[in-house]
Amino acid sequence: MSLIEYLKNHIIQHGPVPVAEYMALALAHPEYGYYMRGDPLGVAGDFTTAPEISQMFGEVLAAYFVHQWMKIGQPEHFIFLECGPGRGTLMADMMRTGSVFPGFAEAAQVHLLETSPVLRDKQASMLADYEPVWHEDLSEVPRDMPILAVANEFLDALPVEQYEMGVDGWCARKVGYEDDGEGFWIAMDGEGAVTPAFDTALAEQRAKIGEIAEVSPARSGFVRAMCEKLKAAGGSALFIDYGHSKSGFGDTLQAIKDHEYCDVLAHMGEADLTAHVDFEALKNVAERAGVDVSGPMEQGEFLRVMGMFERAETLKEAATAKQRTEIEVALRRLTHPDEMGRLFKVMGLSYGG
Ligand code: SAH
């Protein structure tokens, strides 16, 4: 069977599924889910992420976390947690760079939150020196030690619910299937109006008919749980993702396969399916939980103030002409407003220190 067959049968028996359920199945179905199947990253995969573009990304983030570690009083032991570590490249770069600062790497206990068995294997070989501990869920991460956590392109993979404004109010958008040749569809399902759990920022905005709104209880829940971890023993968390700093309406669900955007219903379980992160909503969650929030700010600006341009210059001094070009290309991809510099946002949470 494939995810297509599975979903067809499921919809025929139980009716259309809400967008969030579709997203969860497409990404995380134990057998057919996208992240259960293979390594999605890199040239041979479907998409490339910042740590895969350049080691400078992890180097700059290491500087950030060393600073956070100092802020909480350089504890002798802390949990260095990465959520959705992909191939483990970011953590490897951060640990390598962090070891330059006396005591940091020795104090770090590497913990990884990862569901994909294929990626766990890659992380195991990439990070063997650091004897990482894996978790399926944030609730498994110990709370008796300060935590420094990072999540790059992790939140975008957590499901969003979608609603569309109809004549009678908001209706849930669902994925359905017609046997008469139309096949799968995604649209508002006419069961009548519902009251979505919008954050205030969205609830205060007036929507025209046909407007689409997204909310993600999965992301809010994750950030809330992270805040509770930070409050237990202190620490900080850095979230990096594409998304918007202010809540607004719009359909941002997207699928990517072989580095190209494709229809969100095509290639089920074989394309990456994500939606933009509403950082304003998550900032509100964190503030309500009582942790300090910095940002969100644009990734380009964050990397600039964290010293990535100076780092690139230093690397170029010892590089060949070809490597110098590669460094410049990577720097541009990570920081330029037309590349990842503006669309990607960075938001920091911290507690204590
Ligand atoms: N952070 C990495 C990889 C990003 S891809 C990088 O920047 O290269 C998304 C990562 O999140 C993958 O490792 C994927 O397996 C993981 N992931 C997706 N959904 C998850 C979930 N619900 N719980 C834990 N990990 C998840």
Side-chain angles (χ1 to χ4, degrees):
M1 214 162 59
S2 66
L3 191 65
I4 297 177
E5 290 304 315
Y6 172 84
L7 204 65
K8 239 185 240 181
N9 293 339
H10 183 84
I11 292 171
I12 290 166
Q13 284 177 44
H14 305 283
V17 298
V19 165
E21 192 179 330
Y22 171 63
M23 212 173 148
L25 282 170
L27 293 177
H29 183 281
E31 222 171 312
Y32 317 118
Y34 177 70
Y35 279 112
M36 301 303 140
R37 298 160 45 92
D39 177 359
L41 290 152
V43 182
D46 293 313
F47 58 94
T48 304
T49 56
E52 301 296 332
I53 290 172
S54 168
Q55 65 179 60
M56 292 187 290
F57 190 73
E59 290 170 348
V60 160
L61 291 197
Y64 176 86
F65 282 110
V66 168
H67 181 69
Q68 295 300 315
W69 176 63
M70 289 173 166
K71 262 178 63 181
I72 55 170
Q74 308 194 7
E76 220 172 295
H77 299 290
F78 72 92
I79 290 174
F80 203 10
L81 171 69
E82 182 167 1
C83 311
R87 292 177 167 175
T89 310
L90 174 59
M91 183 53 85
D93 287 338
M94 290 195 300
M95 286 299 285
R96 178 175 47 75
T97 311
S99 66
V100 173
F101 300 87
F104 179 82
E106 294 74 16
Q109 293 186 7
V110 175
H111 287 242
L112 307 171
L113 192 70
E114 177 60 72
T115 44
S116 154
V118 184
L119 290 174
R120 275 190 184 203
D121 282 348
K122 298 230 164 184
Q123 294 151 19
S125 50
M126 181 74 95
L127 299 167
D129 288 352
Y130 310 116
E131 299 175 9
V133 182
W134 280 270
H135 305 282
E136 285 272 327
D137 191 275
L138 200 54
S139 63
E140 297 166 13
V141 177
R143 36 188 301 142
D144 55 356
M145 234 187 263
I147 295 182
L148 301 182
V150 66
N152 186 58
E153 292 206 40
F154 168 76
L155 290 173
D156 64 64
L158 302 186
V160 293
E161 297 174 354
Q162 281 192 338
Y163 298 91
E164 186 168 331
M165 184 52 95
V167 279
D168 298 323
W170 291 109
C171 285
R173 275 167 64 84
K174 295 184 179 174
V175 173
Y177 178 79
E178 300 308 328
D179 238 345
D180 61 5
E182 190 196 343
F184 287 102
W185 51 261
I186 179 167
M188 65 180 188
D189 198 40
E191 282 174 351
V194 292
T195 311
F198 288 155
D199 195 77
T200 37
L202 211 54
E204 283 163 3
Q205 298 178 30
R206 281 180 71 87
K208 295 194 283 283
I209 288 181
E211 206 113 58
I212 291 175
E214 292 175 342
V215 272
S216 178
R219 293 172 186 171
S220 302
F222 187 85
V223 168
R224 210 174 291 120
M226 182 65 87
C227 291
E228 293 313 314
K229 290 281 168 195
L230 299 181
K231 282 161 72 180
S236 71
L238 197 67
F239 291 98
I240 306 159
D241 230 306
Y242 37 87
H244 31 280
S245 300
K246 289 274 160 220
S247 301
F249 298 124
D251 171 11
T252 74
L253 191 64
Q254 63 181 45
I256 288 195
K257 184 171 164 51
D258 300 328
H259 301 267
E260 305 264 359
Y261 290 103
C262 59
D263 190 282
V264 295
L265 298 177
H267 313 292
M268 285 179 188
E270 291 172 9
D272 187 33
L273 197 60
T274 60
H276 286 202
V277 173
D278 179 350
F279 278 98
E280 187 177 16
L282 299 180
K283 181 177 175 145
N284 289 338
V285 166
E287 284 177 346
R288 277 195 295 269
V291 310
D292 295 328
V293 182
S294 337
M297 74 195 283
E298 291 176 359
Q299 173 171 301
E301 176 66 2
F302 175 81
L303 296 176
R304 189 184 64 73
V305 299
M306 289 301 301
M308 186 175 275
F309 285 80
E310 289 81 353
R311 179 65 189 141
E313 284 310 311
T314 310
L315 283 173
K316 273 156 70 178
E317 280 166 19
T320 63
K322 182 168 171 281
Q323 288 168 332
R324 276 201 292 278
T325 310
E326 284 166 5
I327 292 165
E328 276 160 18
V329 169
L331 185 65
R332 188 187 145 89
R333 278 184 80 182
L334 294 172
T335 60
H336 197 277
D338 295 342
E339 305 255 5
M340 298 169 81
R342 180 169 292 155
L343 177 60
F344 280 72
K345 309 290 185 305
V346 183
M347 186 171 81
L349 312 181
S350 64
Y351 192 84

